[in-house]
Amino acid sequence: MSPEETAPQQSPVLAPDCPVFVVLHKDALRERIDVRVSRVLSLEDDVLFLAQTDPPVPAQLHGSEVEVAVLSDDRNGTMRPFGYAARLLAVPEDLARADAPDPATGPAAIAVSAPKPGDFFETSLRMHYRVPVDEDMGVVIRLEGFEHPDLLDFSAGGARVCVAAGEEGFDALAVGASLPFRLLFLGSGYAVGDGVIRSLHRSEDGGSATLGLFFTNMEIRDIRYLERMVARTVSTCRQRESDAEYV
């Protein structure tokens, strides 16, 4: 987790309730990243207190180095993730006070070292390019237990899918659960595997939910096929964007 050359326009403000991302692990060789969503509880001198993530940061990582990232304006006015290398100072076993607004009232869920001036650098919260889906692409997904899932975007490592609630609602859905999937490229082929739910956001009316899936348990041939199709789709999309400049 080494700093990159690009710095934010100004240091991000880590105010209470500010959304942050905790990057526990990056493996560029295997193209794997473990990112968990959190929020700021408070900043006390050189210690930043964060709400426990879901799934929770394990206590055995106490003392290890992580990356804490936040979305902030870059020098061109675009919102991008900027992070800093932090030390995991405490992961209390008792998570009952994870939502405590003030660490003084009880143990904070996570304590990490606070950033110093100049610590922030532009980072990435994904290892794969994510392709937005439109109707003309001919790319659809099948998920076990759902009749007509709506594929929002996909990459070689995962996808975002909107699903409608069944008769039992979303009682069976939870972060960490696994759903068999089939990603179809109509007229070409498909890739199959399991999609582990990494994020779950229900609509206000409870009628639908957006799932962030991490692809796993795939055969090598399916992985290679998916990588080729993603590269081909990205190339086609960029060509369309280039052609549009002349219209």
Side-chain angles (χ1 to χ4, degrees):
M1 301 182 184
S2 59
E4 300 177 9
E5 294 182 357
T6 307
Q9 187 173 18
Q10 57 185 7
S11 295
V13 178
L14 296 172
D17 288 328
C18 170
V20 296
F21 304 89
V22 181
V23 184
L24 298 182
H25 176 71
K26 280 185 179 180
D27 188 337
L29 182 62
R30 297 181 179 179
E31 297 187 322
R32 293 290 184 264
I33 186 169
D34 188 346
V35 181
R36 308 192 184 188
V37 180
S38 181
R39 61 184 175 84
V40 174
L41 294 179
S42 68
L43 178 61
E44 305 258 336
D45 297 325
D46 58 351
V47 179
L48 179 66
F49 295 95
L50 305 176
Q52 179 58 288
T53 63
D54 185 11
V57 174
Q60 56 264 35
L61 290 183
H62 178 110
S64 62
E65 183 178 285
V66 298
E67 188 177 296
V68 177
V70 62
L71 296 178
S72 183
D73 284 342
D74 65 8
R75 297 184 185 277
N76 297 316
T78 302
M79 295 297 288
R80 296 184 182 278
F82 290 88
Y84 73 97
R87 184 69 61 184
L88 194 55
L89 303 176
V91 186
E93 296 286 348
D94 181 11
L95 305 181
R97 305 304 297 276
D99 293 326
D102 184 353
T105 64
I110 306 173
V112 300
S113 57
K116 298 180 177 62
D119 280 356
F120 280 97
F121 55 87
E122 184 172 356
T123 186
S124 176
L125 301 176
R126 300 192 184 112
M127 298 301 288
H128 302 279
Y129 181 84
R130 183 171 289 181
V131 183
V133 174
D134 60 45
E135 295 180 357
D136 298 331
M137 280 185 179
V139 185
V140 296
I141 194 169
R142 300 286 182 258
L143 281 180
E144 185 174 287
F146 299 94
E147 290 189 4
H148 301 291
D150 183 14
L151 181 63
L152 304 177
D153 56 49
F154 68 97
S155 70
R160 277 195 317 130
V161 184
C162 183
V163 297
E167 295 181 359
E168 299 179 356
F170 297 114
D171 293 342
L173 289 181
V175 173
S178 181
L179 299 172
F181 77 89
R182 182 182 295 254
L183 189 63
L184 298 99
F185 296 85
L186 303 181
S188 175
Y190 59 86
V192 299
D194 292 329
V196 178
I197 300 176
R198 300 297 296 272
S199 63
L200 172 60
H201 301 285
R202 295 177 174 82
S203 62
E204 293 184 0
D205 61 8
S208 64
T210 300
L211 310 178
L213 301 177
F214 170 74
F215 293 160
T216 186
N217 291 339
M218 299 176 65
E219 298 287 343
I220 294 297
R221 61 177 179 272
D222 289 316
I223 294 174
R224 298 304 177 215
Y225 171 75
L226 181 55
E227 289 174 344
R228 290 197 304 272
M229 295 308 296
V230 168
R232 183 181 303 176
T233 304
V234 170
S235 177
T236 301
C237 291
R238 287 177 176 170
Q239 184 61 51
R240 288 176 179 173
E241 293 173 357
S242 178
D243 292 343
E245 295 177 0
Y246 297 95
V247 175

